[in-house]
Amino acid sequence: MAGDGRPVNLTDRRVRGALMLALVMLAAIVVPNAVGRTVSGTAVLGRIPAEPRVGQCLLQTPPEPGVAAGRSWSFRLGGCSGAHYGEVSEVLLDPASTGTGPATADQPTYSLKPCGDGSAYLGWSPPVKSSDAVRWRSIELTVITLNPTKLQVAFGQHWIVCVVTPSTEGASYTGSVRGALSTGRLPALFGQCLTTVAVLSATIDCAQAHRYEVFALADVSTAFRDQPALDSDCRAFVASATHLADLTAGGALRVAAVPFHFDATGNPRPGLSSNPPDMAVEAMCTIGVTGTRLLAGTLFGIGSGPLPWA
């Protein structure tokens, strides 16, 4: 209605003028945003991550142990100067890169040897020769595998990476485990220390007060009965890892192999097996204190230095 009560006539010149003005203002707002803005420049391909190298470090929390992570999981490898979560111990080629098998960006084919246990990267050179009855291995750690991202596969990278990480899942550390078992310089997080050597005791950080430290582990035949031989092997491991001239440190320490076995029902028992139907026998090579004073640091590479008493 007009102000004087008369109906509004849309053909009225004033009304048509107001409508046109509103349409012009609306076009001024909408059209530039609908068309978009022109940006100068040239499109270029982003940087493709280079192939991994042995010795690089994992710079973020790793996936769950045993999980092959790749195209759906982004990971960062780089230098080891700061805190990191693992180290590249092996880089294995995908057979597709040698023409022995097909691969696509979505589903590469990996028919290759699995990752090793990391012992070679740690510099594990056993001072005793393993036999069929006793097979020693280095300290516990976790080896995970990483695959190339989809972008890397699309640009011709076909590999699988083996990364050694601490057995403590998701923990970061500084330093390197490369060659540690030959140099004696082992990052503390890889040490295995115990408050007791009871069967299947849980390990703790060696920076915490403890009585024992583990230097090697063994799978032992159920028919094996020679405890002195295990102790002799253990002394060789401890001498190699600690560089102690006197393994007892003047009577303060004692070196011993501590075996335990699983009986036919799967229950763990201390000592070597005395019953051939037993399922398995394992042993820990340990060094422990003889008195009441506790240690609060690893003995790897201690040499002639003072013992790290708590």
Side-chain angles (χ1 to χ4, degrees):
M1 301 291 288
D4 56 4
R6 292 179 296 105
V8 174
N9 185 351
L10 293 182
T11 61
D12 185 280
R13 182 176 300 175
R14 289 174 300 175
V15 174
R16 292 200 306 272
L19 288 174
M20 288 298 295
L21 178 59
L23 289 173
V24 169
M25 293 179 66
L26 181 62
I29 295 172
V30 174
V31 172
N33 290 293
V35 174
R37 298 178 180 177
T38 301
V39 179
S40 61
T42 304
V44 295
L45 181 66
R47 184 177 67 86
I48 308 301
E51 294 188 8
R53 302 186 309 276
V54 171
Q56 284 185 305
C57 284
L58 181 63
L59 304 181
Q60 64 194 86
T61 305
E64 294 179 7
V67 174
R71 287 150 298 284
S72 62
W73 191 78
S74 175
F75 57 87
R76 291 189 299 119
L77 298 174
C80 301
S81 59
H84 43 270
Y85 297 84
E87 300 170 45
V88 176
S89 58
E90 292 182 272
V91 179
L92 308 174
L93 290 179
D94 178 350
S97 64
T98 60
T100 60
T104 67
D106 293 323
Q107 190 62 49
T109 298
Y110 293 110
S111 301
L112 39 73
K113 68 172 186 176
C115 289
D117 63 3
S119 292
Y121 184 78
L122 269 68
W124 174 244
S125 180
V128 297
K129 185 177 181 179
S130 293
S131 69
D132 291 338
V134 181
R135 300 190 64 83
W136 289 99
R137 62 188 187 275
S138 61
I139 61 172
E140 290 283 9
L141 47 77
T142 300
V143 179
I144 63 172
T145 59
L146 304 177
N147 295 331
T149 63
K150 182 181 291 187
L151 182 61
Q152 287 172 309
V153 172
F155 279 83
Q157 295 187 30
H158 304 293
W159 41 258
I160 187 170
V161 164
C162 309
V163 179
V164 296
T165 68
S167 56
T168 303
E169 185 179 343
S172 65
Y173 63 98
T174 57
S176 174
V177 295
R178 192 171 191 174
L181 296 184
S182 58
T183 64
R185 295 188 294 271
L186 184 75
L189 195 61
F190 286 85
Q192 298 179 89
C193 291
L194 305 167
T195 57
T196 177
V197 288
V199 177
L200 299 182
S201 300
T203 59
I204 62 171
D205 187 333
C206 290
Q208 299 179 39
H210 59 272
R211 296 190 62 86
Y212 303 94
E213 184 169 3
V214 179
F215 287 87
L217 302 147
D219 297 314
V220 184
S221 167
T222 55
F224 188 79
R225 303 286 188 274
D226 196 345
Q227 179 68 47
L230 289 181
D231 290 334
S232 177
D233 286 354
C234 185
R235 285 192 292 271
F237 291 132
V238 172
S240 175
T242 63
H243 302 169
L244 283 167
D246 173 13
L247 296 185
T248 71
L253 304 174
R254 177 177 179 270
V255 176
V258 181
F260 60 92
H261 64 278
F262 294 88
D263 63 24
T265 62
N267 294 315
R269 308 291 185 189
L272 291 169
S273 171
S274 59
N275 184 17
D278 286 344
M279 298 173 63
V281 181
E282 297 183 11
M284 298 182 292
C285 171
T286 68
I287 191 168
V289 297
T290 57
T292 58
R293 199 172 181 186
L294 301 179
L295 296 167
T298 180
L299 295 180
F300 267 93
I302 195 71
S304 58
L307 296 181
W309 294 114

